[in-house]
Amino acid sequence: MGQIANEIENMLSDRKAGKELKKERRIILDQIAADEATKTNLVKKALAAQRAKYGAAGMGGKGMTEEAVLKRMREETEQPFDEKRIANMNKMSNLKKPKKTNLVKLFNSQFSKLIG
C-alpha cells in the first residue's frame, strides 16, 4: 500500500507541476505579445521619422532608393524582436508536461500483486 500512497503523492505533485507549467507558458506568451507590440511601435516610429526626413529634403515621390532604405530600416528594427520571439518559442517547446498517473492501472497492478 506504500506504493499506492507514493503514486498518489506523485500525482498531486504532478498536478502542481502542471499548474506551474501553465503559468510559465502564460508568462512566455505575455512576453511575446508585449514584444510584438513594442516592435510594431518602433517600426512605425522609425519609418515615420525617415519619411519625415525624406519629405523635408523634398523627396516626396517614392523612389527605389527610398523604398530600399525603408525596407532595410524595417528589417533592422524588427530583427532583435524576431530573435527574441524565436528564443521564447524555443522556451515554450522545451517545457515538458508531467506524465499523468493512471490510478485505475495502478490499483489494478497492486491488486494483482496482492491476489497473486
Side-chain angles (χ1 to χ4, degrees):
M1 280 304 194
Q3 174 71 21
I4 294 173
N6 286 339
E7 289 297 325
I8 291 173
E9 286 178 17
N10 288 340
M11 187 179 77
L12 293 174
S13 67
D14 288 347
R15 183 172 286 175
K16 183 179 178 183
K19 288 180 182 179
E20 290 175 7
L21 180 68
K22 277 186 179 182
K23 183 180 177 183
E24 287 180 40
R25 284 184 177 162
R26 174 59 29 210
I27 290 170
I28 292 171
L29 289 173
D30 290 345
Q31 183 64 45
I32 289 171
D35 290 343
E36 195 64 30
T38 303
K39 176 179 89 171
T40 302
N41 289 336
L42 285 176
V43 168
K44 285 180 182 180
K45 286 178 184 178
L47 295 180
Q50 188 63 38
R51 285 186 184 118
K53 287 179 186 176
Y54 283 145
M59 299 174 60
K62 286 208 171 205
M64 292 289 282
T65 305
E66 181 181 351
E67 289 179 25
V69 169
L70 293 176
K71 181 180 180 208
R72 182 179 49 86
M73 286 185 72
R74 176 181 286 119
E75 290 171 355
E76 288 175 356
T77 305
E78 289 177 344
Q79 182 183 6
F81 292 99
D82 291 340
E83 290 170 358
K84 194 172 182 182
R85 182 179 46 82
I86 290 169
N88 281 331
M89 294 304 286
N90 287 337
K91 281 185 204 174
M92 285 275 286
S93 65
N94 290 335
L95 294 176
K96 302 282 185 202
K97 193 169 187 176
K99 183 182 172 189
K100 289 187 176 183
T101 303
N102 188 336
L103 288 178
V104 174
K105 288 183 181 178
L106 176 66
F107 283 125
N108 189 22
S109 68
Q110 294 298 320
F111 187 71
S112 299
K113 290 179 184 176
L114 291 174
I115 292 177

